[in-house]
Amino acid sequence: MKKTLPFAIIVILISICFIRPAMAQQKSLFDGKTLKGWHVDVPDMDKNPNTPNPFVVRNGMLVSLGDPRGHLITDAIYQNYRLEVEYRFAGKPGNCGVLVHASTPRALYGMFPKSLEVQMQHQDAGDFWCIEEDITVPDMEVRRGPKANWGVNGNKLRRIKNLTDDSEKPLGEWNTMVIECLNKTVKVWVNGVLVNEGYDCTTDKGQIALQAEGSEVEFKKLMLKPIKKLSK
């Protein structure tokens, strides 16, 4: 007698065939052990080869020690993606950021790569900082200041305030930041709250960078997934 698989098992097998390709699209930018896939750009290292690397792997986490100042930059260029980041300030609250659409290194102040920064600074998570790139948001003058002073370098008004400053968790707890970049639109959520959305960005692709900007920050998740549409 010819045996056939139960209908329920067939359904499960078919589902797996569809789910696996979707799962395969996701990837972690951090393997939990090394900084493979990234490179460090720290100006102080040019002057002194004994300068310590401010980016280390510790207890399965990627850690930005804060100093010396600089950036950890992906080797690859990314476009149209969702980036999920889990982070916390390990000690005192301070400053850090995730840079998207990064390109020319040290384009600003001999330190910051040309990019759009998504701010992680304590109580300001989700601000945009324009670093030789620009973006537009609703209520632009309210959130950025007088139009005559807008700019992407020097002392121009480069900061675009987020929509709410009460979405972060207490110090020591893990925060989840989600950044979606699709074409020339960038959306940001902090702990499930939409905190910023911009459009008409001056670029739509680039590398991803993490900052060493004076404060120790631990990262335990850096998950990237290609997208074809933005989340609501």
Side-chain angles (χ1 to χ4, degrees), residues 2-216:
K2 185 178 180 180
K3 294 184 179 180
T4 59
L5 290 172
F7 179 74
I9 294 178
I10 294 174
V11 170
I12 291 172
L13 292 174
I14 293 174
S15 298
I16 290 173
C17 290
F18 282 98
I19 291 172
R20 277 185 174 173
M23 291 178 64
Q25 290 181 345
Q26 297 186 67
K27 70 172 185 177
S28 177
L29 299 182
F30 173 54
D31 63 14
K33 299 177 182 179
T34 69
L35 298 180
K36 183 179 179 181
W38 301 79
H39 60 273
V40 174
D41 184 28
V42 176
D44 283 356
M45 289 182 169
D46 297 348
K47 306 168 188 175
N48 181 0
N50 295 320
T51 299
N53 187 344
F55 300 98
V56 300
V57 177
R58 184 177 69 200
N59 299 327
M61 297 178 292
L62 193 162
V63 182
S64 170
L65 299 174
D67 285 298
R69 309 296 174 94
H71 296 83
L72 183 68
I73 305 171
T74 60
D75 297 332
I77 291 173
Y78 297 100
Q79 183 177 28
N80 297 339
Y81 59 85
R82 172 188 174 95
L83 176 66
E84 185 174 346
V85 180
E86 287 190 28
Y87 73 94
R88 69 179 178 185
F89 287 95
K92 296 180 180 179
N95 197 5
C96 195
V98 177
L99 279 53
V100 299
H101 302 336
S103 58
T104 307
R106 306 187 190 182
L108 180 66
Y109 304 143
M111 170 71 72
F112 301 90
K114 187 176 182 181
S115 60
L116 179 71
E117 177 183 348
V118 180
Q119 179 69 269
M120 289 170 50
Q121 179 170 279
H122 180 57
Q123 296 186 334
D124 291 319
D127 287 359
F128 288 143
W129 277 88
C130 299
I131 306 174
E132 301 289 349
E133 299 286 6
D134 214 342
I135 197 165
T136 302
V137 302
D139 302 321
M140 190 81 147
E141 291 201 67
V142 174
R143 296 168 58 194
R144 190 169 185 171
K147 186 174 182 179
N149 296 328
W150 297 352
V152 296
N153 52 41
N155 295 321
K156 297 292 186 178
L157 296 178
R158 300 185 295 108
R159 179 192 183 192
I160 303 174
K161 295 181 181 179
N162 67 65
L163 298 170
T164 173
D165 285 334
D166 61 0
S167 54
E168 297 173 53
K169 294 185 178 180
L171 288 172
E173 295 187 18
W174 290 98
N175 292 284
T176 299
M177 174 179 282
V178 173
I179 304 169
E180 289 190 351
C181 301
L182 183 70
N183 301 323
K184 295 189 175 182
T185 296
V186 180
K187 294 182 74 172
V188 183
W189 293 261
V190 175
N191 297 320
V193 178
L194 180 66
V195 296
N196 220 335
E197 179 175 5
Y199 55 93
D200 289 341
C201 187
T202 48
T203 187
D204 62 356
K205 62 181 175 292
Q207 296 157 296
I208 296 169
L210 305 177
Q211 292 183 319
E213 204 170 6
S215 303
E216 185 170 315

